[in-house]
Amino acid sequence: MYESDKDTVGGGDTERSAFRIAEKKYKLYYDISSKKKKEAKAVSLNDVLDFKSVLETFTQNVLELPPGISFCSGFDRPVFCLDNRPGFYFIPQALSLEEQCLWIRESLRSFPQPPNRTNHNAIYGPITDLLTSANQAKIFHHDGKSVSASLLLRKLRWATLGLQFDWSKRNYDVSIAHNEIPDALDKLAKRMAAPAMPTGEEFKPQAAIVNYFGLGDSLGGHLDDMELDWSKPIVSMSLGCKAIFLLGGKSREDSPLAMFLRSGDVVLMAGQARECFHGVPRIFTDKGNAEIAPLELLFSQAEDECFLEYIQTSRININIRQVF
């Protein structure tokens, strides 16, 4: 499901589902005919839905919306939904810049800490203070081999919070030692989840998966189907570099809709939307497309150098779930 797609142009395509075609359309390819080192192949973004533009038009032109997009009233921030994807909600600029910086810091400093598990556990076991170790240029030794902490930080792909997900068995293992979802994240998730919650019910954050994306990384089309009650949303928060998100249908043969995800955007998927394939085929790390200049300004202090250096070429996604 999690892929690193630093491919060159001309690779064969053995999967021809509509979703796979869209993934390959937007993912990062390098042009092997270019004389310049690793020049990214240009891709048309004309068909990518831009909720930032939708919000600006909606605000400036008094409730004017493109066909197929509706405004959900009654909340403390603009919330949009897609008429043909019931249960899908998009909240542009949901997180303030200060909140974004907070959760970027937590995602790198706190969330990979044991007893939370990461993709490194299988080989290296629990790693304490990975960010600090990277900043101190520490070297880890394992099975007679040496690896730098900074490299492990760059190869961090996921961390699990709250109830721990067993990737080999594809279920939540309540017997694994874990901490509760941090209180501040719990409160934020409850507030963000409100538009997608059944009337009279409150979201109960019990688990979260934090995904870390670097240049060329992608998240293949998948379903989030291990939670008990699909009427409760997945709350997905984007941080860092801009990405393309694909929202398909109940079959991989359904053509997906592409949309931009920027730092601070929140997506909710509940009910029928939980049955839709979705993925992230591309992140943009170049200055012209990453759109992280406001974050760079807030991370301009010396003590924030490690966060600035990381987020300039990365995207973080925190998705929070109610398991039971």
Side-chain angles (χ1 to χ4, degrees):
M1 184 173 71
Y2 205 105
E3 303 171 352
S4 183
D5 288 334
K6 299 175 183 178
D7 296 342
T8 54
V9 178
D13 184 7
T14 57
E15 298 180 54
R16 283 293 183 180
S17 69
F19 199 97
R20 183 57 175 164
I21 290 171
E23 286 179 316
K24 293 180 76 65
K25 173 182 177 180
Y26 291 113
K27 79 172 187 176
L28 176 63
Y29 286 106
Y30 291 114
D31 192 344
I32 59 176
S33 66
S34 173
K35 295 181 180 179
K36 296 181 180 180
K37 185 179 180 180
K38 284 194 171 182
E39 182 173 336
K41 184 177 181 292
V43 59
S44 173
L45 303 176
N46 293 337
D47 295 330
V48 182
L49 176 60
D50 189 344
F51 274 103
K52 179 182 178 181
S53 177
V54 170
L55 177 60
E56 291 172 351
T57 301
F58 180 77
T59 303
Q60 297 171 4
N61 296 337
V62 191
L63 310 184
E64 179 180 328
L65 286 172
I69 298 176
S70 298
F71 177 75
C72 302
S73 60
F75 302 101
D76 62 352
R77 64 196 67 242
V79 180
F80 300 100
C81 55
L82 301 175
D83 297 344
N84 63 351
R85 293 291 187 274
F88 178 85
Y89 301 83
F90 197 108
I91 313 176
Q93 304 172 21
L95 305 179
S96 68
L97 282 170
E98 290 74 19
E99 287 176 314
Q100 293 170 48
C101 290
L102 167 66
W103 295 116
I104 288 170
R105 291 187 181 100
E106 290 298 288
S107 295
L108 295 173
R109 183 170 50 202
S110 303
F111 292 168
Q113 289 280 73
N116 298 339
R117 297 195 300 167
T118 76
N119 57 293
H120 291 319
N121 277 57
I123 297 176
Y124 300 100
I127 300 176
T128 303
D129 298 327
L130 178 58
L131 179 65
T132 301
S133 297
N135 292 338
Q136 296 174 350
K138 287 188 176 181
I139 303 295
F140 292 109
H141 302 281
H142 179 78
D143 286 346
K145 297 181 179 180
S146 300
V147 60
S148 68
S150 59
L151 179 61
L152 291 181
L153 181 64
R154 274 297 167 190
K155 290 191 173 182
L156 183 65
R157 290 296 173 261
W158 55 262
T160 48
L161 316 182
L163 292 175
Q164 296 293 294
F165 190 77
D166 187 328
W167 296 92
S168 62
K169 298 179 181 178
R170 283 188 53 76
N171 62 21
Y172 290 94
D173 189 340
V174 297
S175 68
I176 297 176
H178 63 275
N179 293 330
E180 298 296 319
I181 296 293
D183 185 60
L185 186 60
D186 178 280
K187 292 178 180 177
L188 177 62
K190 287 178 178 177
R191 180 162 57 93
M192 292 297 162
M197 285 298 294
T199 303
E201 296 189 43
E202 184 179 59
F203 187 60
K204 299 176 182 178
Q206 296 168 322
I209 299 175
V210 185
N211 295 118
Y212 304 83
F213 297 80
L215 175 64
D217 289 340
S218 62
L219 186 63
H222 65 283
L223 299 176
D224 293 298
D225 55 2
M226 290 297 104
E227 292 73 39
L228 185 64
D229 184 355
W230 290 7
S231 71
K232 308 304 189 296
I234 287 179
V235 180
S236 179
M237 303 188 299
S238 290
L239 303 166
C241 292
K242 186 174 71 177
I244 290 179
F245 177 75
L246 294 179
L247 177 65
K250 297 181 181 181
S251 165
R252 292 182 186 272
E253 295 302 331
D254 296 325
S255 295
L257 175 66
M259 63 191 77
F260 289 121
L261 285 175
R262 293 178 174 85
S263 193
D265 290 342
V266 169
V267 161
L268 309 175
M269 296 181 70
Q272 293 185 44
R274 290 289 298 266
E275 302 177 57
C276 295
F277 283 92
H278 56 281
V280 179
R282 179 78 173 264
I283 71 162
F284 298 93
T285 60
D286 60 288
K287 284 190 175 294
N289 289 296
E291 298 188 32
I292 58 168
L295 285 175
E296 291 177 316
L297 287 176
L298 287 186
F299 280 136
S300 60
Q301 300 301 314
E303 62 268 24
D304 289 326
E305 183 179 356
C306 60
F307 302 110
L308 173 63
E309 181 180 350
Y310 184 90
I311 210 62
Q312 283 177 325
T313 59
S314 305
R315 173 181 181 261
I316 299 172
N317 171 244
I318 306 173
N319 53 89
I320 306 108
R321 298 113 184 283
Q322 179 171 328
V323 178
F324 303 114

